[in-house]
């Protein structure tokens, strides 16, 4: 096979004179060993002459991609004209047969850089190449996957454009990057409505705030729910954009949607102590135990204390949440108030107001206490979300915000090691859950 300018492509089976093509070794793509050796020699020569550039403007790979694409387009045109000639009774005949009609230049972004090809045209305008469909300006899925990966890692559209130009010599626009990332919207919609497990031992909930421009720029909550499966794996249940501040009423809407996706039972829900949330949870799952995050209680307490007293206040609060039962916890809270009540009277009040959501923690075995005393499991995720959101400054609408956070979700734990650590941490606790909640976890697995 030859390209339009007569450059041999060295495809196995043709274009290599004086060789036994049947015995010639070929690569997985059908390239002859002689061609690969010629390319290697060319690369070595370029190095000797002052350097080898593989990608970007003037690079070896874009030049090869251009020749290969040009040859493929010519071959596609030949096949197309031959097929039409067989149907119309003669290629190029006066009775209406089709024929070539020049070329049109087209700049295309490939995985190795931007190239310009001459797309052949036919007189009847029926030719539509499969390699480069009409209006297509990109080839293959690798480039799209690269843009999605860079977006998931927190780069803005402008930063991605700059990176592609610097690393690959590609000239693109923010609009093109946005068009590529919009492909994730369909999979995001499926992910947000997928069926869920019938029962989860624990669900952690929290909200982050992102800046969304809807008439004017304002902070909007995005609600996040993470579940621990019956097998001890982490599952992000979804993302929901709300209006105004975080509220129990909207959380009830979120939890109802989760229930409608198949979740019949949640043994324990861990939250940050939002008022009225227990009633909202029990409206959806009456048997669910609502546990406030102990770390949030401690942080809330420290807000009322001088920084120089933080270590001592935290030390004196520890006997409260490590007590063996409610009676001992109340006594230790009274002891704390005797020590710090005059200086920081508000701290005791924080614990008393959250007492009903704190008490369930005291009845938990140590194995469960260790994994539910904090919402760090979801806060580490929210930290990733915040970094991705802050890189953008603000979003034009909530769909753009959710798309960015969804892509960040897809990039979590690429090696799978985090999933394994999570599973190891929860193994002993899951056995205790089944005993503590009278077999409800086992029943949900059936």
């Amino acid at each position: 096979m030859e390209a339009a300018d007569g450059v041999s492509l060295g495809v196995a089976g043709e274009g290599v004179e004086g060789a036994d093509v049947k015995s010639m070794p070929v690569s997985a793509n059908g390239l002859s060993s002689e061609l690969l050796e010629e390319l290697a020699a060319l690369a070595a020569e370029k190095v000797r002459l002052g350097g080898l550039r593989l990608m970007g403007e003037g690079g070896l790979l874009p030049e090869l991609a251009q020749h290969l694409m040009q040859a493929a387009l010519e071959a596609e045109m030949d096949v197309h004209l031959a097929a039409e000639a067989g149907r119309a009774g003669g290629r190029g005949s006066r009775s209406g047969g089709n024929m070539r009609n020049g070329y049109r230049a087209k700049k295309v972004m490939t995985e190795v850089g931007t190239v310009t090809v001459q797309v052949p045209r036919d007189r009847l305008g029926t030719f539509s190449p499969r390699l480069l469909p009409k209006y297509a300006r990109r080839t293959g899925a690798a480039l799209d996957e690269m843009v999605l990966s860079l977006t998931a890692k927190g780069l803005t559209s402008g930063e991605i454009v700059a990176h592609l130009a610097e690393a690959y010599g590609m000239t693109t626009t923010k609009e093109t990057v946005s068009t590529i990332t919009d492909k994730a919207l369909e999979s995001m919609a499926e992910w947000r409505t997928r069926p869920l497990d019938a029962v989860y031992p624990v669900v952690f909930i929290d909200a982050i705030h992102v800046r969304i421009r809807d008439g004017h720029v304002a902070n909007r909550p995005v609600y996040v729910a993470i579940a621990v499966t019956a097998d001890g794996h982490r599952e992000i249940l979804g993302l929901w954009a709300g209006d105004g501040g975080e509220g129990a009423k909207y959380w009830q809407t979120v939890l109802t949607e989760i229930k409608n996706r198949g979740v019949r039972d949640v043994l324990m829900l861990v939250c940050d102590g939002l008022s009225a949330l227990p009633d909202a949870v029990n409206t959806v799952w009456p048997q669910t135990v609502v546990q406030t995050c102990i770390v949030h209680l401690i942080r809330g307490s420290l807000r009322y204390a001088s920084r120089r007293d933080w270590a001592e206040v935290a030390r004196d609060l520890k006997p409260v949440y490590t007590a063996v039962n409610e009676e001992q916890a109340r006594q230790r809270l009274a002891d704390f108030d005797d020590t710090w009540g005059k200086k920081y009277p508000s701290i005791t009040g924080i614990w008393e107001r959250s007492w009903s959501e704190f008490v369930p923690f005291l009845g938990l075995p140590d194995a469960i206490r260790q994994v539910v005393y904090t919402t760090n499991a979801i806060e580490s995720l929210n930290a990733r979300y915040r970094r991705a959101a802050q890189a953008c400054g603000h979003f034009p609408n909530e769909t753009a915000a959710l798309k960015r956070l969804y892509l960040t979700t897809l990039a979590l734990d690429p090696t799978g090691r985090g999933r394994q650590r999570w599973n190891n941490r929860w193994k002993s606790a899951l056995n205790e859950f089944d005993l503590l909640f009278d077999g409800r976890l086992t029943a949900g697995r059936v």
Side-chain angles (χ1 to χ4, degrees), residues 142-373:
L143 179 62
D144 290 4
E145 291 173 358
M146 183 191 306
V147 170
L148 291 174
S149 176
L150 293 173
T151 303
K153 289 176 172 56
L155 272 69
T156 65
S157 296
E159 290 170 338
I160 293 174
V161 169
H163 174 75
L164 293 177
E166 180 180 352
Y168 302 98
M170 298 182 189
T171 302
T172 184
T173 64
K174 294 180 181 179
E175 290 72 21
T176 300
V177 171
S178 181
T179 299
I180 293 174
T181 56
D182 280 346
K183 292 183 177 181
L185 292 177
E186 183 176 348
S187 62
M188 181 180 75
E190 294 176 357
W191 176 76
R192 295 179 66 201
T193 57
R194 72 193 188 281
L196 301 175
D197 293 350
V199 61
Y200 290 108
V202 181
V203 171
F204 298 90
I205 64 172
D206 200 3
I208 66 169
H209 287 81
V210 299
R211 294 171 63 80
I212 295 177
R213 185 180 70 248
D214 187 7
H216 63 280
V217 178
N219 284 330
R220 296 267 299 277
V222 174
Y223 297 81
V224 187
I226 293 182
V228 180
T229 70
D231 296 321
H233 297 298
R234 180 182 71 174
E235 182 176 0
I236 301 173
L237 303 184
L239 298 163
W240 298 264
D243 296 318
E246 181 182 3
K249 184 176 181 180
Y250 194 88
W251 268 122
Q252 183 173 335
T253 302
V254 169
L255 298 178
T256 299
E257 180 182 320
I258 292 174
K259 181 179 181 180
N260 291 339
R261 288 164 59 191
V263 181
R264 299 196 309 267
D265 193 11
V266 173
L267 307 187
M268 179 175 290
L269 185 139
V270 182
C271 59
D272 60 1
L274 184 66
S275 61
L277 185 57
D279 292 338
V281 174
N282 293 140
T283 299
V284 181
W285 296 296
Q287 292 183 286
T288 298
V289 174
V290 179
Q291 171 65 58
T292 192
C293 170
I294 304 301
V295 172
H296 272 82
L297 279 175
I298 297 172
R299 289 175 182 169
S301 301
L302 295 180
R303 290 194 188 100
Y304 292 94
S306 172
R307 195 178 193 87
R308 63 185 178 184
D309 292 331
W310 279 8
E312 294 181 50
V313 169
R315 181 199 62 199
D316 291 345
L317 282 174
K318 186 173 182 179
V320 180
Y321 59 83
T322 56
V324 297
N325 53 41
E326 181 179 1
E327 181 180 357
Q328 187 181 76
R330 284 196 176 278
Q331 180 58 50
R332 291 179 173 178
L333 182 62
D335 294 342
F336 175 87
D337 190 57
D338 290 340
T339 304
W340 295 99
K342 291 183 179 179
K343 190 173 186 179
Y344 304 122
S346 299
I347 294 180
T348 303
I350 290 175
W351 287 78
E352 289 176 344
R353 287 191 296 273
S354 303
W355 197 258
S356 60
E357 288 79 48
F358 161 69
V359 166
F361 182 79
L362 302 175
L364 300 176
D366 287 340
I368 297 180
R369 284 192 183 193
Q370 291 175 8
V371 292
V372 302
Y373 82 100

Side-chain angles (χ1 to χ4, degrees), residues 39-55 58-61:
L39 291 174
L42 176 61
E45 180 64 21
K46 283 185 172 290
V47 170
R48 284 193 291 269
L49 293 176
L52 171 66
R53 182 176 178 85
L54 288 177
M55 294 184 287
L60 178 61
L61 294 183

